[in-house]
Amino acid sequence: MNAGSAPAWRTVAHFSADPPPADWRDQLAHRLGRRPRRVGLWTELAMFGARQCLDAAGEAALPAGARLRVSSLRGAWGATHAGLAQLDAGMLMPFTFMQGQPALMLAEVGRCLEWQGDASFALCRDPQHLLQLSKLGAASAGLLVGVVEEERNGEKPRSEWWRLVPA
């Protein structure tokens, strides 16, 4: 390998729920040993897919040095619009507003993976571009990359994840 070339990567696990099964929330609660509380649908979809991907990789927790990257076309669409409607109705800082924040989603996904570290979210039309950027400078612990979409205008919800490590 040349000093300037990027390292090769291999996919350790891939999980796709496109759309998730009807009982996905029950599966998540069973796997976590509790029902997620005070999080929105988008965050739950992210938690479900990320946990399933790590399980498929045979990992109890995401390694400390790994990166977590999540992308979406619209983020927490439902919570964002519900929060704006509540603001219009005169509620001060409605709780729904918090459910629309990507930072909350990242924190909850990290918690369900027993992990703290380098996490980020991007609104993204091209997940391949996000994947390329995520690999730059990533450590030997690798990456967990997901695409999470809520149901909207007839489109089904989706939670798709890849666990990657340097080859």
Side-chain angles (χ1 to χ4, degrees):
M1 174 182 343
N2 298 351
S5 66
W9 290 81
R10 71 181 173 90
T11 301
V12 176
H14 173 240
F15 173 79
S16 180
D18 188 8
D23 68 341
W24 71 269
R25 281 183 150 147
D26 292 333
Q27 288 180 34
L28 177 61
H30 182 271
R31 178 60 181 86
L32 297 178
R34 63 176 171 77
R35 288 231 177 253
R37 295 189 41 186
R38 299 183 158 306
V39 299
L41 172 66
W42 185 60
T43 297
E44 282 189 79
L45 282 165
M47 293 167 68
F48 173 71
R51 184 68 261 169
Q52 291 288 331
C53 189
L54 269 198
D55 287 348
E59 295 177 307
L62 187 62
R67 284 184 176 172
L68 172 64
R69 298 294 186 257
V70 183
S71 70
S72 178
L73 289 173
R74 295 178 269 312
W77 184 262
T80 300
H81 285 274
L84 291 171
Q86 290 171 357
L87 260 172
D88 286 346
M91 295 178 75
L92 298 176
M93 191 55 77
F95 181 75
T96 308
F97 171 79
M98 293 304 297
Q99 291 178 342
Q101 301 305 303
L104 176 66
M105 176 272 298
L106 293 170
E108 286 300 312
V109 169
R111 190 166 79 136
C112 91
L113 301 178
E114 301 175 30
W115 172 86
Q116 293 181 17
D118 180 0
S120 66
F121 166 74
L123 288 173
C124 182
R125 295 194 189 289
D126 182 4
Q128 287 296 350
H129 184 68
L130 176 70
L131 185 58
Q132 290 170 343
L133 289 174
S134 299
K135 290 176 183 177
L136 295 174
S140 61
L143 305 165
L144 180 62
V145 179
V147 177
V148 182
E149 303 294 351
E150 289 184 344
E151 185 170 357
R152 181 177 171 264
N153 296 336
E155 295 175 20
K156 299 292 181 197
R158 171 183 177 212
S159 190
E160 187 167 10
W161 292 79
W162 295 264
R163 177 71 175 104
L164 301 144
V165 295

